[in-house]
């Protein structure tokens, strides 16, 4: 009987809880902020959407520097600082006076979110046994899936009861995040001499982990396609007379993630990267194409299952792959490199693919998303070929 190293430790569970709460606020306020800007400041849809863009910009900037300086500042210090900043920025929503205040607040909260999620993801990677890393990260990223399902639901339903309920609920969650952070034990990594020298330079490898770039590029392409779903699926489903299927699209997507993220994590640990990444990319290609060609609820929801199986597994499998070839003192850079790519894809996706809509219509958006997944597949195959040729 083979011995399995323990996975479900107290700190592993606390990090999952913290990440779950972090993403509930993230998704709740993303939904709430748009409607709030339109109703309170007479902002246009594009101006209200800018609030989401500034949040992602804040997250990108903070990830760039938090990954670089995490072990120098100290993981526990950065966790507590980002948790307190997240709390402060969340409470500040009660005092928004104009659109400029909102945009600055979204940037600051995005920075706190990017910093804290980088710390948590890095710590999770450090405490999971190497033999169960894919499985452990798979379970961990389910907290993101659950947050993405519960957050928007609360952000839509609570304002219908009372306009201030979402803010009070977020305040309570933000306080809980600080309490959980205080209770979580965080491992300290003492930077070595080489790391102390590198951090003083401005070379590329001191900001990102170059070995994580291939999987990060694949994640970037996938995030562009998925962001187009996040932005347009509601309108698209109404245009093709499948509004009900569109309304439950993300529920079906989340269920697929709940099933396949842990499964692919276990397969990655046992059989290697290719056994997971090839099915993931094929699922993305066929999923985006199913959405593009949808003429029935079944086809649209089949697309939700396939995209959930494909892109939904990228954050977990991608994180496990990103840290495979790096030492523990560069886990933070590898993790932030992947997550910056996912954030960047989410940020530019709606803008890039949205330009296609006036000329070619919504279906063309998802055809392009499928083609981007094909590019990701070709890139992955090319990376395998050149790696083997290099090592031959």
């Amino acid at each position: 009987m083979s011995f399995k190293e323990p996975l479900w430790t107290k700190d592993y569970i606390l990090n999952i809880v913290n990440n779950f709460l972090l993403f509930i606020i993230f998704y709740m306020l993303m939904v709430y902020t748009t409607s709030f800007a339109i109703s309170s400041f007479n902002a246009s849809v594009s101006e209200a959407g800018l609030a989401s863009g500034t949040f992602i910009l804040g997250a990108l900037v903070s990830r760039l520097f938090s990954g670089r300086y995490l072990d120098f500042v100290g993981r526990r210090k950065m966790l507590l600082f980002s948790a307190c900043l997240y709390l402060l920025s969340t409470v500040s929503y009660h005092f928004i006076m104009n659109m400029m205040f909102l945009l600055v607040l979204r940037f600051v909260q995005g920075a706190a979110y990017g910093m804290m999620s980088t710390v948590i993801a890095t710590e999770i990677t450090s405490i999971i046994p190497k033999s169960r890393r894919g499985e452990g990260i798979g379970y961990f990223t389910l907290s993101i899936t659950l947050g993405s399902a519960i957050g928007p639901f609360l952000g839509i339903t609570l304002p219908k009861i009372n306009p201030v309920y979402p803010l009070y609920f977020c305040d309570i969650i933000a306080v809980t995040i600080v309490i959980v952070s205080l209770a979580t034990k965080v491992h300290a990594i003492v930077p070595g001499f080489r790391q102390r020298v590198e951090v003083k330079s401005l070379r590329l490898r001191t900001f990102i982990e170059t070995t994580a770039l291939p999987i990060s590029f694949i994640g970037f392409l996938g995030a562009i396609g998925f962001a187009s779903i996040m932005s347009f699926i509601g309108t698209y489903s109404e245009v093709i007379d499948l509004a009900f299927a569109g309304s439950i699209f993300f529920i079906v997507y989340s269920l697929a993630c709940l099933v396949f993220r842990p499964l692919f994590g276990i397969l990655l640990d046992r059989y290697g990267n290719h056994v997971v990444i090839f099915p993931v990319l094929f699922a993305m290609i066929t999923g985006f194409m199913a959405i593009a060609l949808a003429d029935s609820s079944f086809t649209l929801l089949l697309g939700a299952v396939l995209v959930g199986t494909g892109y939904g597994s990228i954050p977990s499998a991608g994180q496990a792959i990103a840290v495979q070839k790096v030492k523990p003192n560069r886990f933070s850079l590898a993790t932030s490199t992947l997550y910056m790519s996912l954030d960047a894809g989410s940020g530019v996706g709606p803008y890039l693919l949205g330009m296609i809509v006036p000329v070619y219509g919504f279906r063309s958006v998802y055809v392009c998303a499928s083609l981007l997944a094909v590019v990701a597949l070709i890139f992955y195959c090319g990376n395998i070929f050149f790696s083997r040729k290099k090592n031959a």
Side-chain angles (χ1 to χ4, degrees):
M1 183 177 178
S2 59
F3 171 74
K4 271 193 173 184
E5 295 178 271
L7 176 62
W8 294 94
T9 61
K10 184 192 96 170
D11 292 318
Y12 177 73
I13 294 170
L14 287 176
N15 275 295
I16 289 177
V17 170
N18 232 1
N19 205 56
F20 170 62
L21 297 175
L22 183 74
F23 275 87
I24 283 185
I25 294 179
F26 167 48
Y27 282 107
M28 272 189 69
L29 292 181
M30 183 165 284
V31 172
Y32 176 83
T33 300
T34 304
S35 59
F36 174 78
I38 293 172
S39 61
S40 299
F41 306 126
N42 295 317
S44 65
V45 175
S46 60
E47 288 173 334
L50 187 61
S52 297
T54 55
F55 185 96
I56 292 172
L57 179 61
L60 279 169
V61 171
S62 70
R63 285 193 197 281
L64 187 65
F65 290 97
S66 59
R68 175 184 170 97
Y69 295 108
L70 177 57
D71 291 325
F72 288 87
V73 174
R75 295 184 183 184
R76 182 167 180 78
K77 287 181 182 178
M78 192 173 286
L79 176 65
L80 294 178
F81 173 78
S82 58
C84 290
L85 184 60
Y86 204 58
L87 170 60
L88 180 63
S89 58
T90 300
V91 173
S92 297
Y93 277 80
H94 293 284
F95 308 104
I96 295 173
M97 296 172 290
N98 52 51
M99 194 66 188
M100 181 56 67
F101 188 115
L102 175 61
L103 293 177
V104 172
L105 181 58
R106 290 294 287 169
F107 180 88
V108 172
Q109 190 178 43
Y113 154 81
M115 193 183 306
M116 189 172 182
S117 58
T118 298
V119 178
I120 294 174
T122 302
E123 181 62 14
I124 276 286
T125 307
S126 300
I127 63 178
I128 294 173
K130 188 175 181 180
S131 62
R132 303 184 69 180
R133 188 169 287 159
E135 178 187 3
I137 293 175
Y139 289 127
F140 164 70
T141 53
L142 290 182
S143 61
I144 302 175
T145 304
L146 292 174
S148 67
I150 296 172
F153 173 76
L154 293 175
I156 293 170
T157 56
L158 287 180
K160 294 177 181 177
I161 303 172
N162 190 308
V164 296
Y165 278 5
L167 298 184
Y168 288 136
F169 192 77
C170 287
D171 293 342
I172 294 170
I173 296 177
V175 170
T176 307
I177 287 173
V178 174
I179 294 171
V180 174
S181 298
L182 286 168
T184 306
K185 180 182 177 183
V186 183
H187 293 75
I189 299 293
V190 179
F193 174 77
R194 182 177 178 182
Q195 196 176 1
R196 290 196 299 271
V197 171
E198 285 183 345
V199 81
K200 296 177 183 178
S201 73
L202 297 177
R203 288 186 300 169
L204 182 65
R205 74 181 308 273
T206 64
F207 286 94
I208 63 173
E209 175 51 54
T210 53
T211 60
L213 286 176
I215 192 63
S216 298
F217 179 67
I218 290 171
F220 171 73
L221 294 177
I224 291 176
F226 182 69
S228 69
I229 295 178
M230 290 281 287
S231 301
F232 306 128
I233 196 65
T235 306
Y236 173 61
S237 61
E238 291 177 3
V239 168
I240 60 176
D241 296 322
L242 298 174
F244 174 74
S247 68
I248 63 171
F249 184 94
F250 286 107
I251 296 175
V252 176
Y253 167 86
S254 298
L255 290 173
C257 290
L258 286 170
V259 172
F260 285 99
R261 275 187 179 177
L263 176 61
F264 280 150
I266 294 171
L267 290 175
L268 190 145
D269 288 333
R270 293 183 180 178
Y271 303 108
N273 302 346
H274 305 335
V275 172
V276 170
I277 296 301
F278 279 115
V280 160
L281 292 176
F282 278 116
M284 284 170 58
I285 294 167
T286 54
F288 288 132
M289 191 57 70
I291 295 170
L293 301 177
D295 57 0
S296 66
S297 295
F298 173 80
T299 309
L300 186 63
L301 295 179
L302 175 62
V305 172
L306 290 169
V307 172
T309 304
Y311 178 75
S313 300
I314 287 289
S316 55
Q319 188 177 341
I321 293 170
V323 300
Q324 280 179 347
K325 297 180 180 180
V326 301
K327 296 179 180 179
N329 63 1
R330 292 186 67 86
F331 279 178
S332 59
L333 282 178
T335 301
S336 64
T337 299
L338 174 67
Y339 278 84
M340 279 192 293
S341 299
L342 297 177
D343 287 343
S346 298
V348 304
Y351 176 74
L352 290 177
L353 297 185
M355 291 191 296
I356 302 172
V357 176
V359 181
Y360 298 105
F362 280 109
R363 292 188 186 275
S364 61
V365 169
Y366 302 110
V367 171
C368 289
S370 182
L371 292 176
L372 287 175
V374 172
V375 172
L377 176 62
I378 294 171
F379 172 79
Y380 187 71
C381 292
N383 191 58
I384 294 172
F385 174 76
F386 285 112
S387 295
R388 289 180 175 174
K389 190 175 180 180
K390 183 179 178 181
N391 296 328

